[in-house]
Structures are given as C-alpha cells and as structure tokens.
C-alpha cells in the first residue's frame, strides 16, 4: 500500500521536509493501525463468503412469487428436492398461492393456481361450477373438485378448500380476501377494499407519477439553495448570532419583568382585600404564590443566561470567525461539497447489497419432508444462524467506515488548506486528502468505525429486547433496559464526536487512531468552553440554514403544484419535497459543520506550536482569528511588518517551537512544549 507501511509514522517530518517546526502537517507518513485494517479486510472476506453461500443456497424467488406447501415456487419451473410426488412441479402458469383455509393460513395447505377466486364460493356445487367455468382447480394437485367429499371439505390441510371460499385479490402473488366482513364485526373491510372504494391510494400514486418531474426539478432547486446558504452563511453568521443573542437577552429581561409586575399586582390586590377585610378564595392565594415562584425561577434563569453570555462572549465571537473561515475554505475547495453525494451513493449501494444478501440468507435452508402431512419445510442450518449476526455486524461496521472515510477526507482537505501560507499554491487538497486516506490511514478509519460498532450493536440488541418486553408486566426490566439504551446512546454520540476530531489529528499529525484520539480529547477538554460555544451556536445557525432551504423549496413547490389541475392531493408531493429538501440541506450543511470542527482543532494546534512573533513560528491563521490568542497585538504587528517588507522572509521551514503560547484567558497547556534538540536551541538563540 505504501513504501513505509512496515515502520509506521513517528510524526516528525513536516510538509516542508524539515523537523517539526511551525507546520504540524507531516509529509512522510506511514500506514497507521495496520492490524485493524487487516482484520477489516479478513472480515470482508467472510462477508463475501456469506454472499456466495447465500446465493448458492437461497431461494429468493419465493419471496416474490410465493410457494406452495410442497416447496414449489409459483410461476416457474421447479426442481425436485425431496421424495414427494408433488415436488419439482412446473408451475409456470400457476402464479398465485391459494390457501385452503384462509382463517388458519399457517397450518393450511397451500397450492399454486392460475387465478384467484373472483367470487365467493359457499359449497361444493359452486366450487365445481367455478372449475367448469375457468378451468382452475382450487384443490390439491392430484384431485379435481368432483372428487371432494364432505370430510375433505372440513380439513384445513386439504385436499379441498374449507368453505366458504372468499372472493380474493392478488396481493404479492397471494390470494388474499378482499373483504373480512365475515371474520369479525369490527373489521368490515380490508385496507385494500377501503382503498378500492375511496380511490385514495390510487389517486396518491397517480399524483406522484404525474409530478415526479417537478419533484426532481425542486430537488435541484434545493441543491442550489443549499449551496447558496453554505456560501451566504459566512457573511450572515455574525449578524444572525448577535441578533439571536440580543433577542434572547431582551426576551429574558422582558419576561422576568412581566412576571414580577404580575406578582406585584396580585399582591397589591390581596393586600387591599386584607385591609378592607374582604374574604378571598384559596385559588387567589395559590395564584399569588405561583407567580412568586415563577418570578424567582425566571430571575435565576435570566441571571444564568446573562452570566453565560458574558463568559462566552469572546468564544461566541470565535465561533463567528470560524464560520467565516469555513466559508473561505469551502470557496477555496468547492469540491468538498461533493463529498456528501459520494458518501450517499456508496451507502445506498452498500445498503442495496446488504438487503439483497439478507433476502438470500433468510431463504437459505434445507428442504425437509414432513411424513405426517406430506408438506415440505425449510429448516435453517446452524451456520446460517451465525451468518445473521455476522451480516448485522457488517452492516454497522461498514456503514460507519464509509461515513468515517468522508470525515477524514474533509479533515485532511481542511488541514491542508489551513496550514498552507500561500493559498494560491494549493492545487488539489481534496485529492491529496483522498490519497492520504487510501495510502496511509484506512486502518485508523476502520478502527474508529469498529469502536462505534462495539457500542451500537449492544444498543440495537437492547432495543430489540425492549420491544419484545413491551407487553410484559415486568416494569423493572423495561425501566432498566431503557436506562441502558439511553446510556449507550449518549456514549455513542460522545464517541462519534471524539472520533471525528481524532480523524482531524490523524490528518494533521499522521499518528495512529489511539494517539490521535488522546490528543483530540486533551485539546477538547482544555478548550471545552470554546467547543461548547461553537457547537451550540454553530448547530443553531446550521439548523436555521436547513429550515431556510426546506421552507424556500416547499414554498416554490406549493406555487408549482397548487395550480396543476391534474393533481388530486397536491399536498402529498409538497410534503415529500419538504422532506427531501431538508435532507439535501442537511447533507451540505453537515460538511460545513465538519469544516468548522476541523478548523477549530487546526486553530488550537496552530496556537500550541506557534507564537506569531518569533521568525519561523508565525501563525497560519487568518488575521481575523489572531485577536483570540494571548499575544494578538504582537502577532498582528509582526504580520503587518512582514507584509510591508520590514521583516525576514520566513518560510514554512522555520525555527522549531520551544514553548506553546496559550490562548487568551487560559493557562498554558501542560503538553504545550515541543521536542527541541540542543542544536535547535543554539540556532534559536543565534536568530
């Protein structure tokens, strides 16, 4: 895969080819987490084996055509699998499954017929008349309706049907009664009968068929709007954030003042009644006490809100600045917006493959003849039972692997863009990130996806058990399962967030997954307020962007569909347009979120390694971000001096870092020192 896969990566060589200095991006990378990658490849060898085995032994056509009680698929030529006279029949013309006793279908004899009964047959004479009229025998293959006796007509297992034989419709190649009025007084008609009577289902399908072209056009409009929102967010983010904060402050103060004013009014009214010795009801006392409690709670919450905004004001400003930087990055690397499309295509292809193989596995079994009834049953072998679990693990692990690949590619492209001084020299950072993933870090991605699998699989199992216990009287067990499911869900969310940041460190430093996750965790913990501010503010702004795309596309859809006279229920296509446009916007704006998270780690890494003043340790960040570091004035002055030609011409291969510079308002990080040799210290002193 790469020339240095055997030795790993020590993270010492930088992009400029020298020792680690001002640029943390490593150039000579090794292959990380090779053992996990080998395990993942071997796991997929097992997935391929399951695919071949299930296709060779599965009978997927029975899911679509149905099959009779003797193992013969309807509508096709069959091969003989057991020593039964009815096995291996040619059912090419018999395409529908008929149940001898529809009330007890699981124990009923099933045969393949050419046509489902189109009317109710109440006795043997009507059964014979139907046979003479259509040539369709609703009996076992070896007899005709003329041979049915009174004893046969009462036997669920045949050879003749149990009367009455109901008027049936073809549903999934099965003869299903069109009405259940004779079965129960509560259920007068089946869903099919209801839909046939009122034509709702047919109208909806017709509307979707008539409007699919406009729906595709609206999906394209949502695509364009999502890109426009991504570009515009960098310009309107600051306005939106400060307007929301101002409204929150004004609303909190106004609400608290209104509650206190109401309480004072009620108290004055009670005092006047007391002075005039006018009796009052208990409800008035309760109302006064309630407004007092509400006023106190609102005051406490308002004070907390004001304190939080006061503490986080600079960090909120950093979030706005990172939004602007993310916009610049996306404009510089526009192909980064295509990543959700490729990820979506890969996931869809994998899910189709997984479902098809699952269908083959579910129909894989050994034909066994029941000597008592003569029916053929398919028994699941022991290996197939293990294949279910293996296939389920493959679903989770591979899905998370595909998503993690996108996260690492985006992080790599962002890091490449951030840690390049002259942005004009960038050629294809996204292509470089893809090559970096394929040649060096597939193992790290597989490792991160496997950790998520270890948490998600038990959660799914517990959810299945909880569903099974829904009707149980054991409330304690249900409560414990709910608690475990909630805890695993929280753990999964935390691990996903940590993994995404770990991939950014992998892209920057080229270290293995565990080392990168440890570094990402310490960085997040040391900047927890910034992370909280950026995530809360950022998520809200991105949510507003998704809503804007969804409502804008939906409004256009309403204008288009409302005037179409061919549509019966135009709100159905409009509803689908709302859903699709939201997911399209989510796909693009989730990339924006990834870019912001990656930029935050790059910013922290930049602050830790460089000081913005010392030659060779200049910041890579934009001047708009420099005001959020401790020595902002010195760094900006040094930057202006270099731009004016007053300083040295500093390249990426500058002097190595001696000590990290903490962010403004923070204590120096205990890991803030870089490794420096004696020769490097002498060179630093000379400069």
């Amino acid at each position: 895969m790469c020339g240095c896969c055997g030795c790993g990566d020590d993270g010492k060589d930088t992009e400029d080819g020298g020792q680690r200095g001002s640029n943390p991006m490593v150039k000579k990378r090794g292959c990380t987490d090779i053992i996990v990658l080998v395990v993942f490849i071997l796991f997929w060898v097992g997935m391929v084996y399951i695919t071949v085995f299930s296709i060779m032994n599965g009978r997927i056509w029975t899911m679509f055509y149905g099959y009779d009680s003797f193992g013969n698929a309807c509508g096709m030529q069959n091969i003989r699998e057991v020593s039964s006279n009815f096995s291996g029949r040619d059912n090419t013309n018999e395409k529908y499954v008929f149940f001898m006793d529809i009330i007890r279908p699981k124990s009923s004899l099933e045969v393949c017929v050419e046509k489902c009964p189109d009317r109710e047959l109440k006795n043997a004479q009507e059964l014979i008349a139907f046979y003479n009229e259509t040539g369709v025998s609703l009996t076992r293959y070896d007899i005709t309706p003329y041979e049915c006796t009174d004893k046969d007509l009462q036997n669920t297992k045949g050879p003749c049907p149990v009367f009455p034989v109901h008027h049936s419709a073809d549903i999934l190649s099965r003869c299903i009664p069109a009405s259940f009025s004779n079965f129960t007084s509560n259920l007068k008609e089946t869903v099919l009968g209801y839909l046939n009577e009122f034509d709702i289902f047919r109208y909806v399908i017709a509307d979707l068929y008539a409007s699919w072209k406009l729906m595709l056009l609206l999906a394209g409009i949502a695509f364009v709007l999502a890109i426009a929102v991504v570009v515009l967010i960098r310009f309107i983010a600051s306005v939106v954030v400060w307007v929301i904060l101002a409204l929150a402050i004004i609303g909190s103060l106004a609400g608290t003042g209104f509650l206190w004013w109401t309480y004072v009014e009620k108290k004055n009214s009670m005092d006047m009644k007391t002075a005039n010795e006018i009796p009052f009801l208990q409800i008035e006392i309760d109302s006064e006490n309630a407004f007092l409690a509400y006023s106190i709670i609102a005051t406490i919450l308002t004070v907390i809100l004001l304190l939080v905004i006061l503490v986080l004001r600079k960090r909120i400003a950093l979030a706005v600045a990172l939004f602007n930087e993310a916009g610049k990055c996306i404009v510089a690397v526009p192909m980064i917006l295509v990543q959700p499309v490729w990820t979506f295509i890969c996931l869809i292809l994998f899910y189709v493959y997984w479902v098809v193989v699952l269908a083959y596995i579910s129909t894989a079994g050994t034909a066994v003849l029941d000597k008592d009834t003569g029916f053929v049953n398919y028994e699941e072998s022991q290996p197939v039972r293990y294949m279910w679990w293996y296939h389920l693990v493959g679903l989770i692990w591979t899905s998370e692997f595909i998503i993690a690949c996108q996260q690492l590619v985006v992080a790599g492209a962002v890091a490449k863009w951030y840690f390049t001084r002259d942005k004009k020299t960038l050629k294809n950072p996204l292509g470089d990130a893809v090559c970096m993933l394929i040649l060096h870090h597939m193992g790290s991605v597989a490792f991160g996806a496997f950790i998520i699998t270890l948490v998600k699989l038990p959660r799914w199992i517990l959810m299945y058990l909880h569903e099974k216990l829904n009707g149980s009287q054991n409330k304690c067990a249900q409560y414990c399962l709910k608690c475990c499911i909630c805890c695993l869900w929280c753990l999964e969310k935390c691990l996903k967030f940590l993994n995404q940041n770990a991939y950014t460190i992998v892209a920057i430093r080229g270290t293995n997954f565990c080392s990168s996750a440890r570094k990402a965790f310490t960085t997040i913990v040391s900047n927890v307020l910034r992370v909280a501010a950026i995530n809360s503010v950022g998520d809200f702004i991105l949510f507003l962007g998704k809503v804007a795309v969804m409502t804008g596309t939906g409004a256009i859809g309403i204008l288009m569909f409302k005037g179409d006279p061919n549509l019966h229920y135009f709100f159905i296509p409009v509803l689908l347009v709302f859903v699709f446009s939201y997911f399209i916007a989510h796909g693009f704006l989730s990339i924006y979120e990834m870019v912001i998270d990656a930029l935050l780690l790059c910013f922290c890494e930049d602050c830790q390694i460089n000081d913005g003043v010392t030659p060779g340790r200049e910041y890579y960040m934009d001047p708009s971000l420099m005001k959020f570091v401790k020595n902002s004035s010195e760094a900006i002055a040094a930057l202006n001096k270099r731009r004016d030609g007053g300083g040295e011409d500093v390249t990426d291969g500058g002097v190595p870092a001696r000590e990290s510079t903490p962010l403004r308002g923070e204590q120096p990080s205990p890991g803030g020192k870089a490794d420096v040799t004696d020769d490097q210290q002498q060179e630093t002193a000379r400069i």
Side-chain angles (χ1 to χ4, degrees):
M1 186 178 295
C2 56
C4 51
C5 279
C7 62
D9 176 49
D10 55 6
K12 295 293 184 182
D13 293 330
T14 60
E15 287 285 355
D16 53 16
Q19 294 297 312
R20 182 180 295 278
S22 62
N23 192 337
M25 289 284 290
V26 293
K27 183 177 181 181
K28 295 181 180 179
R29 297 173 179 264
C31 294
T32 55
D33 300 297
I34 305 173
I35 296 177
V36 182
L37 179 60
V38 172
V39 171
F40 185 68
I41 294 174
L42 293 177
F43 179 85
W44 258 94
V45 172
M47 292 283 286
V48 173
Y49 170 77
I50 290 177
T51 302
V52 175
F53 176 87
S54 59
I55 291 176
M56 296 294 293
N57 295 275
R59 305 170 70 250
I60 193 173
W61 54 86
T62 59
M63 299 183 65
F64 304 101
Y65 298 106
Y67 58 95
D68 61 18
S69 297
F70 310 106
N72 302 302
C74 299
M76 61 182 299
Q77 172 68 49
N78 296 273
I79 59 175
R80 187 167 184 174
E81 297 184 275
V82 296
S83 57
S84 172
N85 295 331
F86 304 118
S87 179
R89 282 178 52 85
D90 183 6
N91 289 334
T92 305
N93 297 324
E94 292 84 11
K95 300 180 180 180
Y96 310 107
V97 179
F98 175 74
F99 300 89
M100 295 295 174
D101 188 358
I102 193 61
I103 299 179
R104 293 172 287 272
K106 292 185 178 180
S107 60
S108 170
L109 170 66
E110 303 170 29
V111 295
C112 297
V113 296
E114 296 181 13
K115 179 183 178 181
C116 294
D118 56 3
R119 59 182 180 271
E120 187 178 27
L121 308 175
K122 299 180 180 179
N123 50 50
Q125 288 73 23
E126 293 185 3
L127 180 67
I128 294 173
F130 180 77
Y131 172 69
N132 293 332
E133 179 183 337
T134 62
V136 176
S137 176
L138 301 178
T139 60
R140 199 172 60 193
Y141 300 124
D142 58 337
I143 67 172
T144 63
Y146 290 101
E147 303 174 56
C148 292
T149 65
D150 293 338
K151 183 179 180 181
D152 295 333
L153 295 174
Q154 302 301 322
N155 191 352
T156 299
K157 301 187 183 300
C160 299
V162 175
F163 290 110
V165 176
H166 299 275
H167 172 209
S168 302
D170 165 30
I171 300 178
L172 298 177
S173 300
R174 275 83 171 170
C175 294
I176 305 298
S179 173
F180 283 88
S181 58
N182 294 332
F183 294 101
T184 173
S185 59
N186 295 328
L187 187 62
K188 296 299 183 182
E189 299 178 34
T190 62
V191 175
L192 178 64
Y194 177 84
L195 295 177
N196 286 335
E197 181 179 354
F198 294 99
D199 291 331
I200 295 177
F201 184 73
R202 182 167 59 85
Y203 286 155
V204 169
I205 295 298
D207 289 346
L208 294 178
Y209 181 78
S211 61
W212 69 270
K213 293 182 179 179
L214 284 178
M215 292 174 67
L216 286 180
L217 176 61
L218 289 169
I221 293 175
F223 184 90
V224 175
L225 288 178
I227 296 178
V229 168
V230 168
V231 176
L232 289 176
I233 276 182
R234 59 173 292 197
F235 301 109
I236 65 174
S238 57
V239 177
V240 172
V241 170
W242 298 120
V243 168
I244 291 173
L245 290 178
L247 292 177
I249 294 173
I250 295 172
S252 299
L253 294 174
T256 304
F258 176 78
L259 287 173
W260 279 112
W261 176 69
T262 306
Y263 165 72
V264 170
E265 269 198 340
K266 287 188 172 293
K267 183 172 178 55
N268 291 335
S269 175
M270 296 287 291
D271 292 342
M272 289 179 62
K273 287 184 178 182
T274 303
N276 297 326
E277 298 181 354
I278 300 175
F280 40 81
L281 301 174
Q282 181 64 33
I283 191 173
E284 294 178 303
I285 300 176
D286 295 339
S287 178
E288 179 189 358
N289 294 334
F291 271 99
L292 176 61
Y294 296 156
S295 302
I296 294 174
I297 294 173
T299 302
I300 295 174
L301 293 178
T302 301
V303 171
I304 293 175
L305 175 64
L306 294 176
L307 290 176
V308 169
I309 293 176
L310 180 64
V311 172
L312 296 181
R313 67 188 188 283
K314 294 186 180 301
R315 293 164 181 84
I316 294 174
L318 174 60
V320 174
L322 285 177
F323 263 93
N324 295 331
E325 286 299 295
K328 294 177 184 178
C329 178
I330 291 175
V331 171
V333 192
M335 290 301 294
I336 205 171
L337 293 175
V338 185
Q339 291 308 300
V341 178
W342 295 119
T343 303
F344 177 77
I345 293 174
C346 291
L347 286 174
I348 289 296
L349 293 176
F350 171 69
Y351 290 153
V352 170
Y353 155 81
W354 191 86
V355 170
V356 171
V357 174
L358 179 67
Y360 274 105
I361 293 176
S362 63
T363 57
T366 305
V368 178
L369 178 63
D370 188 339
K371 296 182 180 180
D372 296 332
T373 61
F375 295 171
V376 175
N377 300 316
Y378 286 88
E379 295 184 355
E380 192 178 70
S381 60
Q382 192 70 21
V384 174
R385 296 174 184 174
Y386 294 120
M387 288 179 183
W388 284 95
W389 290 103
Y390 197 98
H391 202 53
L392 179 61
V393 174
L395 169 67
I396 302 174
W397 196 359
T398 306
S399 300
E400 295 297 332
F401 176 83
I402 294 173
I403 296 173
C405 286
Q406 171 185 278
Q407 293 173 344
L408 184 58
V409 168
V410 171
V414 172
K416 182 77 173 178
W417 174 84
Y418 184 94
F419 289 108
T420 300
R421 296 197 186 281
D422 187 2
K423 302 294 191 288
K424 297 179 180 179
T425 60
L426 280 175
K427 296 181 180 178
N428 188 11
L430 192 64
D432 294 340
V434 173
C435 293
M436 176 187 67
L437 166 67
I438 297 174
L439 297 179
H440 302 286
H441 301 307
M442 295 285 282
S444 298
V445 170
F447 198 171
F450 180 71
I451 291 176
I452 300 298
T453 304
L454 292 179
V455 179
K456 181 172 285 188
L457 181 61
R459 184 169 68 85
W460 283 12
I461 295 174
L462 291 179
M463 290 172 63
Y464 174 77
L465 295 177
H466 180 263
E467 187 67 25
K468 288 293 184 182
L469 289 175
N470 258 343
S472 172
Q473 300 298 324
N474 193 341
K475 299 299 181 181
C476 180
Q478 294 185 22
Y479 178 77
C480 293
L481 282 176
K482 286 182 179 179
C483 292
C484 292
I485 292 171
C486 182
C487 292
L488 287 175
W489 180 83
C490 294
L491 178 60
E492 180 185 335
K493 292 298 181 182
C494 294
L495 288 176
K496 282 187 175 181
F497 179 73
L498 180 61
N499 281 9
Q500 181 177 334
N501 289 279
Y503 297 141
T504 303
I505 300 298
V506 170
I508 295 174
R509 293 176 172 265
T511 51
N512 59 46
F513 178 80
C514 290
S515 301
S516 301
R518 189 186 311 114
K519 172 64 178 175
F521 179 77
T522 56
T523 303
I524 292 172
V525 170
S526 60
N527 296 274
V528 63
L529 293 179
R530 287 183 174 84
V531 173
I534 290 171
N535 282 330
S536 57
V537 174
D539 289 346
F540 185 74
I541 293 177
L542 295 179
F543 174 74
L544 292 180
K546 297 172 189 178
V547 172
V549 173
M550 180 183 68
T551 53
T553 308
I556 297 174
I558 292 174
L559 294 176
M560 288 184 173
F561 292 130
K562 189 176 182 180
D564 192 341
N566 297 322
L567 298 180
H568 303 88
Y569 305 104
F570 74 92
F571 62 87
I572 297 295
V574 170
L575 178 63
L576 290 179
V577 166
F578 270 101
V579 174
F580 291 151
S581 60
Y582 179 84
F583 282 110
I584 290 173
H586 175 75
F588 283 99
L589 293 175
S590 63
I591 289 294
Y592 210 108
E593 184 178 3
M594 293 180 196
V595 172
I596 291 173
D597 291 339
L599 282 174
L600 176 61
L601 282 183
C602 292
F603 172 76
C604 295
E605 194 77 1
D606 194 8
C607 293
Q608 181 179 2
I609 292 175
N610 302 307
D611 60 12
V613 179
T614 305
R617 294 178 60 189
E618 300 84 358
Y619 288 132
Y620 283 87
M621 67 186 70
D622 190 84
S624 61
L625 294 176
M626 289 186 183
K627 60 184 178 181
F628 300 105
V629 297
K630 186 175 181 180
N631 58 337
S632 57
S633 57
E634 295 87 345
I636 295 175
L639 177 64
N640 293 332
K641 185 178 180 181
R642 288 194 302 274
R643 287 179 175 177
D644 295 338
E648 294 182 52
D649 184 13
V650 182
T651 63
D652 288 353
V655 180
R658 292 173 295 176
E659 187 174 352
S660 63
T661 301
L663 304 184
R664 177 184 291 178
E666 292 188 353
Q667 297 298 324
S669 173
K673 293 187 178 181
D675 296 330
V676 183
T677 63
D678 294 337
D679 294 339
Q680 294 168 353
Q681 291 178 353
Q682 294 175 6
E683 178 66 12
T684 302
R686 183 186 66 79
I687 293 178

